[in-house]
Each structure stands twice: as structure tokens, then as C-alpha cells.
Amino acid sequence: MPLGEPWRVGKRPYGRSALSTAAACLKGFYLHQSSLGVNGELGKKLDKSRLPSRVDRRRSFLGHVKSSLPTNPLAPKGPHRRHPKMLPDGARERLLETVNAARDRLVVTWLADGGLRIGELCGLHLVDLHLRENAACGECRAPHLHVCHRPGNPNRAEVKTKHPWRVEHGIVTGGLIKRVSPAMVHTYFEYLTTEYPRGAGHGMLLVQLHGAATGQPWAPVGARRMLGRAGKRAGLGIVKPHAFRHSFTSAVLDAAGGNTLIARDAGGWASAAMVDEVYGHVDVHDPVFDAALRTVWGETK
């Protein structure tokens, strides 16, 4: 402010939406002054445009014929969150650059590509993972995993959906079957060959890497705290595991042309209505998750 006086003392700072609105007002004011012959050089710097994105075209009347949209250099920078329940744009890449352990890279990748709940991920056992084609269970030809409800997990991680499952001759069948992407398989083998402790008798996938309980099953609260710290280091704010699930569902809906039945089966929901009413943010999808889902589902277009 002029004369170095602090602005909004004792008040909360403006959020991104308020700052964007203020930037639009400032731009309009300066452009009007420029049209009157005042500071025309500044007016030229502010009168910028950009190419419209797919989301811009959908939100605009006759958006398919738009060739450019105005942009505002005064608008706040940084990651943009398309929906309050979704991840900011580019969150996956920034988190993968920030985390330090192969286990943490597995968590980010599996939440992003698999749409798993944090309880489902932390409750996985090694026998639940059939990460090769034509696995012995015979229930899915592609690499996949079985989400099984086990109320007695030592880390208290429980699966919300209780699909029937069983183990026969050491092979898990049933449960909620989810296909896995090549990136998920890669992070699994990286983690298992570098950080997973030998002789772990519990057979669970995620383990603690430090402290007195090293090698013991990793609780969901530990995964949540890890993501929260990584999000702050990456400049994304607090990242919650369930935001991956919202972004995953929006990407599935967008790739499936809004077909809620496909999204229901991919995410393991009880009804397509829940997908449409709670998770279906189709118009605000993240292109990164859209590309990831094409890999998961084997699409080429």
C-alpha cells in the first residue's frame, strides 16, 4: 500500500477467487485509463490473450468457435484447484518430485491411477496383488488387484466395501477387482526391491520405514500425514487422499463420455447415482488424470 502501510491488518488474507476478482477489476480500470490516453504502455501489457482450453470451450456459449480468450497478468499465480474436492492442477507430478521414498511414490501413483481409498490402499496384502496378465485367479486378464475387507488388520486399515472374497491354495479370489496401470506396477517393484523389509511376517504391502516400529504395517493416518507434508513442501497446501478419488472419478467420467456406469465399476461405488451426485466433476477434470486413465484402461484415443 502507499507509504508502506500494512493492508488488512488483523484479517485473513484474500483467497484465490477474491484475488482473481480484484485482479479483473484492476485490469478493467487500467484498460479504461489506457483507452483515454493515460499510460498506454501499461494497457498494451495488460491486453493479452491465450488459446482456450477444452474446459473453456465447454463453459462458453458457442465455445467451439472461440479462437482466443483474454488473460490477466495481474491474476494470482500458482496451482489452480478446479474444484474444492479435487487436487490442484499438476499435483501428481509435483508430489512425485517432492516425496523422498519409493513407498511414498507408490502411494501417490496408486491413489492417482487406481482411485483407491486410503483405507483400501493401506489394507492391501501382497497376496491381493496380481500384477501380471492372466493371473491364476482367472477373474481378470489384465494386471489387477483385489480389495478385500479384513477387519483384523494390525494397522486398523479397513475397506469400506465388503465384497465376498476367499483364499484357495494361496490365491485370492473375489473382493473388489481393480485394474492397475504400468506406472503402478513400476512403483510396486521399485518399492519392493529397495525398501520393503525382508522377513516381514504380516504380509501387508505398506510398512513403516523409520522409528522403533520399522517394518510394521503403515497406518492410514501415517499416509495422510505424509501427503499433507509433501503437499506443503510442493506449494500445494494440504493434500488429502480422498482428493485423488474425486480427480480419478472425474477423469473416468470424462474419458467415458459421462457414462456413470463405467465410473461406478472403475471406482467401486454401490450406485451410479453417487458417482453423478457426489464425485462427478466432469466439467472440471484435470487433463493429467485424463491421460493417466487412458493408460489404465488401455485407450489409444
Side-chain angles (χ1 to χ4, degrees):
M1 291 296 291
L3 307 179
E5 296 179 2
W7 186 36
R8 293 179 58 81
V9 177
K11 299 180 181 180
R12 294 181 59 185
Y14 281 145
R16 186 185 182 94
S17 297
L19 290 174
S20 298
T21 302
C25 295
L26 285 174
K27 178 182 176 180
F29 171 78
Y30 289 130
L31 289 180
H32 176 68
Q33 294 296 315
S34 176
S35 66
L36 299 178
V38 179
N39 204 345
E41 190 65 25
L42 177 60
K44 293 180 181 179
K45 292 181 180 180
L46 294 178
D47 193 14
K48 302 290 185 179
S49 61
R50 61 176 175 84
L51 294 175
S53 65
R54 180 166 51 179
V55 175
D56 295 326
R57 295 182 186 277
R58 287 178 174 176
R59 290 178 173 177
S60 303
F61 180 68
L62 297 178
H64 62 285
V65 301
K66 290 186 177 293
S67 58
S68 64
L69 285 176
T71 185
N72 191 353
L74 301 176
K77 308 297 186 211
H80 175 56
R81 191 182 298 270
R82 297 174 182 266
H83 188 276
K85 294 184 178 180
M86 293 176 63
L87 292 169
D89 290 351
R92 172 179 173 162
E93 286 69 24
R94 298 182 66 171
L95 287 172
L96 290 176
E97 294 173 355
T98 303
V99 297
N100 300 316
R103 179 203 61 187
D104 301 342
R105 288 191 288 272
L106 180 146
V107 170
V108 173
T109 303
W110 284 45
L111 289 176
D113 283 2
L116 295 163
R117 298 181 177 92
I118 192 62
E120 295 173 346
L121 179 58
C122 292
L124 286 174
H125 288 237
L126 296 177
V127 295
D128 299 334
L129 312 180
H130 297 166
L131 305 183
R132 61 180 180 85
E133 294 185 355
N134 299 317
C137 68
E139 295 183 300
C140 182
R141 290 183 297 175
H144 62 278
L145 57 87
H146 297 257
V147 178
C148 304
H149 177 74
R150 293 183 176 92
N153 280 331
N155 61 352
R156 300 182 179 179
E158 293 192 14
V159 174
K160 185 176 181 180
T161 54
K162 301 177 182 179
H163 298 271
W165 63 279
R166 64 183 184 273
V167 180
E168 293 183 356
H169 307 293
I171 300 173
V172 173
T173 58
L176 175 62
I177 300 175
K178 285 179 170 287
R179 293 176 63 179
V180 301
S181 68
M184 294 170 68
V185 177
H186 173 76
T187 55
Y188 165 79
F189 283 107
E190 179 192 12
Y191 163 60
L192 211 67
T193 56
T194 58
E195 295 177 353
Y196 195 81
R198 295 182 179 181
H202 49 73
M204 300 197 71
L205 174 62
L206 298 179
V207 300
Q208 299 186 51
L209 301 179
H210 307 285
T214 298
Q216 295 302 308
W218 201 31
V221 64
R224 290 191 180 96
R225 290 173 179 173
M226 180 276 294
L227 289 172
R229 293 191 300 268
K232 290 180 179 179
R233 293 197 304 270
L236 301 170
I238 297 178
V239 173
K240 297 183 179 180
H242 210 64
F244 287 92
R245 191 162 169 84
H246 281 271
S247 297
F248 172 87
T249 310
S250 295
V252 172
L253 282 172
D254 187 78
N259 191 320
T260 56
L261 294 178
I262 294 177
R264 180 201 63 185
D265 294 338
W269 285 279
S271 67
M274 178 178 291
V275 176
D276 189 32
E277 295 173 3
V278 181
Y279 290 89
H281 319 299
V282 179
D283 290 336
V284 290
H285 78 289
D286 187 341
V288 175
F289 276 85
D290 191 7
L293 262 295
R294 288 195 180 96
T295 302
V296 173
W297 293 100
E299 295 181 8
T300 57
K301 296 183 180 179

